[in-house]
């Protein structure tokens, strides 16, 4: 009996190793996970790490620096001021060639006048980005912060109730009012997170995630379409969502104002109704903002995306950098 168990274990290990090698050296390569557990944020980029980000329509090398930020193409210069870029996967942009990602595109537009630092993190929303700014980034040398908001998506993501039960941990911020809030730290690293971090160093991790997603979408949900964002025709009560979103933007502005740092919000949204709501709040609180979709339309610029996942492509990152310079969001 014991002998059979040993044989099964050895065979399983060899099978996993063989499958890992097959994934790594075949056309079915997936890459490995770019993140690991972080006690402050939940997950953060692996430091001094590089790999390929792979989907059906691209295979792009990406790299993080010693702080876990998306790598700059130039060396940090302490004698000049910093500009910090916040946002989700559109700003993290692992699918875009490094030299074209928004922070490097801005460095070109401004002839390296500033250190442009990209603190984008996939699946983050303004509450997490507020904590990232407070806990993960040294803002002592910062002159400007530009925050990109995907409005329809972020309205859902700000609420911890929408966090997947088997998802990686995330810090959340719960607001009673825009002035009164409490930080809900990510769960303490448990066995699930330790296993995820271990497997995240191997190709099989992404394969397992894709398999779990397929099972959930096609078997558990029986083909029902699951919304990943809200739309303006929805009857969902968004009172709490708006409080959390507005609170995070308000507290970010308050933090930066206390440090004499300029703050601009770039809103990505096609919803006239939601645009009106956030415009009223930001105007009332004297927070500078632009509606990116409106601005690029005026300039005749298209926000082009990758066909396989809808993220901005290289050309769009370059175009958005030009918009920021043209509108003088950074002086």
């Amino acid at each position: 009996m014991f002998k059979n168990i040993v044989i099964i274990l050895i065979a399983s290990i060899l099978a996993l190793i063989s499958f890992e090698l097959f994934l790594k050296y075949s056309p079915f390569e997936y890459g490995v996970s770019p993140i690991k557990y972080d006690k402050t944020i939940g997950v953060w980029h692996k430091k001094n790490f590089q790999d390929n980000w792979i989907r059906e329509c691209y295979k792009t090398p990406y790299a993080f620096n010693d702080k876990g930020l998306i790598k700059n193409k130039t060396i940090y210069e302490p004698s000049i001021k910093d500009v910090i870029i916040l946002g989700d996967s559109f700003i993290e942009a692992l699918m875009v060639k490094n030299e074209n990602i928004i922070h490097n595109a801005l460095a070109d537009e401004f002839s390296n006048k500033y250190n442009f630092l990209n603190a984008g993190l996939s699946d983050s929303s303004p509450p997490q980005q507020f904590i990232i700014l407070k806990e993960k980034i040294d803002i002592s040398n910062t002159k400007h912060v530009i925050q990109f908001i995907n409005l329809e998506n972020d309205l859902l993501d700000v609420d911890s109730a929408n966090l997947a039960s088997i998802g990686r941990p995330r810090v959340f911020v719960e607001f009673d009012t825009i002035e009164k809030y409490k930080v809900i730290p990510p769960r303490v690293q448990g066995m699930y997170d330790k296993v995820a971090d271990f497997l995240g160093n191997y190709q099989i991790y992404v394969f397992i995630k894709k398999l779990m997603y397929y099972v959930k979408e096609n078997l558990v949900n029986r083909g029902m379409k699951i919304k990943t964002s809200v739309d303006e025709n929805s009857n969902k009560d968004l009172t709490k969502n708006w409080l959390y979103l507005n609170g995070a933007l308000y507290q970010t502005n308050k933090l930066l104002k206390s440090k004499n740092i300029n703050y601009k919000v770039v809103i990505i949204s096609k919803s006239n109704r939601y645009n009106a709501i956030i415009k009223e709040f930001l105007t009332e609180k004297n927070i500078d903002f632009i509606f990116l979709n409106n601005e690029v339309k005026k300039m005749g610029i298209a926000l082009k995306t990758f066909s396989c996942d809808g993220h901005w492509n290289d050309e769009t990152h370059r175009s958005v950098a030009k918009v920021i310079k043209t509108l003088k969001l950074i002086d």
Side-chain angles (χ1 to χ4, degrees):
M1 179 66 177
F2 178 74
K3 181 180 179 179
N4 290 336
I5 293 174
V6 171
I7 292 173
I8 292 172
L9 286 175
I10 294 174
S12 299
I13 292 171
L14 290 175
L16 286 173
I17 293 173
S18 299
F19 190 48
E20 174 69 20
L21 292 173
F22 168 75
L23 290 175
K24 186 173 183 178
Y25 297 107
S26 76
F28 304 103
E29 181 185 3
Y30 286 119
V32 301
S33 172
I35 57 174
K36 62 181 295 185
Y37 180 85
D38 181 273
K39 64 181 181 180
T40 305
I41 307 300
V43 292
W44 187 240
H45 299 131
K46 297 174 179 176
K47 297 177 181 180
N48 294 316
F49 181 76
Q50 60 185 20
D51 195 44
N52 292 314
W53 195 244
I54 304 167
R55 294 295 182 271
E56 294 87 349
C57 60
Y58 54 73
K59 179 179 180 182
T60 309
Y62 66 87
F64 306 131
N65 67 14
D66 59 346
K67 295 179 177 60
L69 300 177
I70 293 84
K71 194 171 182 179
N72 291 73
K73 65 178 184 179
T74 56
I75 297 174
Y76 182 85
E77 178 51 66
S79 64
I80 61 178
K81 289 290 187 178
D82 299 341
V83 176
I84 297 171
I85 313 296
L86 297 172
D88 59 13
S89 57
F90 276 71
I91 301 306
E92 178 190 59
L94 303 186
M95 67 291 300
V96 173
K97 292 178 182 176
N98 184 263
E99 64 266 24
N100 295 325
I101 300 176
I102 185 72
H103 64 297
N104 284 325
L106 282 167
D108 289 342
E109 288 291 331
F110 286 86
S111 301
N112 296 309
K113 179 181 178 181
Y114 299 104
N115 298 302
F116 287 90
L117 307 179
N118 188 331
L121 180 65
S122 179
D123 292 329
S124 69
S125 63
Q128 286 92 39
Q129 292 156 20
F130 170 54
I131 303 301
I132 288 172
L133 198 60
K134 285 187 65 176
E135 304 294 341
K136 303 296 290 187
I137 311 296
D138 179 4
I139 62 174
S140 61
N141 190 44
T142 301
K143 184 173 183 181
H144 297 278
V145 170
I146 308 292
Q147 184 170 21
F148 287 79
I149 304 297
N150 276 292
L151 188 52
E152 287 84 358
N153 288 343
D154 285 341
L155 271 173
L156 276 186
D157 291 342
V158 295
D159 185 0
S160 61
N162 293 305
L163 182 64
S165 59
I166 59 172
R168 299 301 294 269
R170 273 197 273 174
V171 64
F172 277 92
V173 185
E174 294 186 349
F175 291 85
D176 293 326
T177 68
I178 60 172
E179 288 283 7
K180 184 179 179 182
Y181 68 89
K182 62 180 177 180
V183 176
I184 310 300
R187 65 174 179 260
V188 176
Q189 186 180 28
M191 184 56 65
Y192 175 85
D193 303 306
K194 291 178 181 178
V195 171
D197 278 353
F198 173 76
L199 292 178
N201 296 311
Y202 301 96
Q203 302 267 332
I204 197 169
Y205 175 75
V206 179
F207 174 81
I208 291 171
K209 283 187 66 177
K210 285 178 175 289
L211 180 62
M212 291 174 66
Y213 179 81
Y214 177 85
V215 169
K216 179 182 176 183
E217 291 297 295
N218 293 276
L219 299 179
V220 177
N221 295 321
R222 300 184 183 279
M224 294 176 62
K225 186 177 181 181
I226 305 301
K227 287 190 176 183
T228 56
S229 64
V230 295
D231 62 74
E232 58 186 327
N233 296 315
S234 172
N235 292 322
K236 179 179 175 64
D237 182 4
L238 297 175
T239 303
K240 183 172 74 169
N241 302 65
W242 278 112
L243 172 60
Y244 285 12
L245 176 62
N246 291 341
L249 299 179
Y250 175 82
Q251 289 296 331
T252 300
N253 181 61
K254 185 177 179 180
L255 169 67
L256 296 175
K257 192 174 182 180
S258 71
K259 307 289 185 181
N260 294 315
I261 297 172
N262 299 315
Y263 177 48
K264 300 289 194 305
V265 178
V266 178
I267 302 165
I268 306 162
S269 171
K270 296 181 180 179
S271 168
N272 292 329
R273 177 184 170 192
Y274 293 156
N275 286 354
I277 294 172
I278 198 167
K279 178 181 179 180
E280 180 180 5
F281 175 79
L282 295 175
T283 301
E284 178 188 339
K285 301 304 177 185
N286 295 313
I287 301 173
D288 290 334
F289 66 93
I290 66 165
F291 291 114
L292 183 62
N293 298 78
N294 294 347
E295 297 299 337
V296 297
K297 186 176 181 180
K298 293 176 188 175
M299 299 179 188
I301 297 172
L303 297 176
K304 298 180 181 179
T305 60
F306 288 103
S307 59
C308 58
D309 65 6
H311 285 95
W312 289 345
N313 64 16
D314 295 58
E315 180 183 344
T316 296
H317 275 255
R318 286 283 175 186
S319 296
V320 172
K322 292 181 185 298
V323 170
I324 288 174
K325 184 178 182 181
T326 299
L327 296 178
K328 299 180 178 180
L329 299 190
I330 300 170
D331 57 31

